[in-house]
Amino acid sequence: MPMFVRDPCGIVCILLTYFAVLYADYVVVRWIILQTMQNSLWGPLHVVLFNSIIFLLIMAHVKAVCSDPGIVPLPQSRVDFSDIHSGTQSILQREDWTVCTRCETYRPPRAHHCRICKRCIRRMDHHCPWINNCVGEQNQKFFIQFLVYVGALCTYAIVLVVTSWLVECPGCSTDVNVKQSRILHCVILVLESALFGMFVSAILVDQLQAILSDETAVEQAQRQGPYRLHKSRLALLSEVCGRDHPLLWLLPCGSVTRSREEPLLGHLDV
Ligand SMILES: [Zn+2]
Ligand SMILES: [Zn+2]
């Protein structure tokens, strides 16, 4: 079930993300392409390519924001702790499952409680204000896609700014005011792209390291795991990205198949 966390910091971060993307699009189209590539076929080509990346970025972002990160269902009745010790119910015999002390959810091994979402999340990595959601088992793929597209957009924007100043432009406006505005917008765009680009690269490297060592950020902090070291790198990546062909991993469509480990507790009476 999709959810939306009412966290002011998260909502500000989401608005900031969309503002930054819209501003980058404005500068690229209005001040770079329309100013320097008016009579060239490169102009429309760059407009289409740049906006395609923006489209994929927004799709991945919406998916990461609105997806259920893997919330463990709340018990239908209060957990009776005596049952856990007597082991009279079959599901409570699972030794690796624990009861969350904050939300009383009976949860599988790699689930952790998020204080902002106020729920336990399966294979929780961290709570990310930029998607106003937890990064967990079921939306980590979309989160990584979002990082990749932000990185691609930042690189593309910087390349466009640099080439637009290097390549000679006979048709460019010689008006001083126009030129000054163009310089100002280009400088802001380069700063914005460099900042966000370095930020997402750092998180992306972290995410890939976490997936390949089969250890979430929460587990790294708690020094639990690593869990299943015998798995191949491809198997570990496909746990997050799904069983489709790796070439399809970057498409922000479809959904990640539910956990391959444990049955859902929601169907059982606790
Ligand atoms: Zn909890
Ligand atoms: Zn959270």
Side-chain angles (χ1 to χ4, degrees), residues 100-105 107 112-114 118-121:
C100 175
T101 52
R102 295 190 184 93
C103 66
E104 294 193 348
T105 305
R107 60 188 184 181
H112 296 281
H113 187 86
C114 171
K118 298 188 176 72
R119 293 293 295 273
C120 279
I121 314 288

Side-chain angles (χ1 to χ4, degrees), residues 86-147:
S86 63
T88 48
Q89 291 180 25
S90 58
I91 55 145
L92 296 178
Q93 286 171 345
R94 303 183 69 121
E95 282 172 12
D96 45 357
W97 285 51
T98 51
V99 175
C100 175
T101 52
R102 295 190 184 93
C103 66
E104 294 193 348
T105 305
Y106 194 56
R107 60 188 184 181
R110 307 186 75 178
H112 296 281
H113 187 86
C114 171
R115 283 169 204 194
I116 298 164
C117 300
K118 298 188 176 72
R119 293 293 295 273
C120 279
I121 314 288
R122 300 167 85 92
R123 202 180 165 149
M124 175 186 165
D125 191 81
H126 68 289
H127 186 96
C128 176
W130 295 97
I131 60 166
N132 190 36
N133 202 355
C134 265
V135 177
E137 184 178 87
Q138 288 181 60
N139 68 345
Q140 193 175 18
K141 174 185 177 176
F142 305 125
F143 178 65
I144 291 172
Q145 289 173 346
F146 171 63
L147 297 177

Side-chain angles (χ1 to χ4, degrees), residues 166-237:
L166 288 182
V167 175
E168 283 221 16
C169 171
C172 278
S173 171
T174 46
D175 187 322
V176 179
N177 287 331
V178 172
K179 209 165 180 182
Q180 277 179 347
S181 299
R182 198 181 131 208
I183 293 173
L184 182 71
H185 283 299
C186 284
V187 167
I188 298 174
L189 181 64
V190 166
L191 288 178
E192 179 196 322
S193 302
L195 193 76
F196 278 95
M198 285 191 292
F199 186 51
V200 294
S201 315
I203 303 176
L204 194 58
V205 168
D206 253 18
Q207 287 282 305
L208 291 177
Q209 272 177 354
I211 293 170
L212 295 177
S213 64
D214 207 10
E215 192 180 42
T216 64
V218 172
E219 287 158 5
Q220 268 173 23
Q222 293 182 349
R223 279 283 151 233
Q224 290 180 359
Y227 277 76
R228 291 168 287 270
L229 278 178
H230 56 277
K231 287 185 183 172
S232 73
R233 289 183 169 195
L234 196 66
L236 291 167
L237 282 169

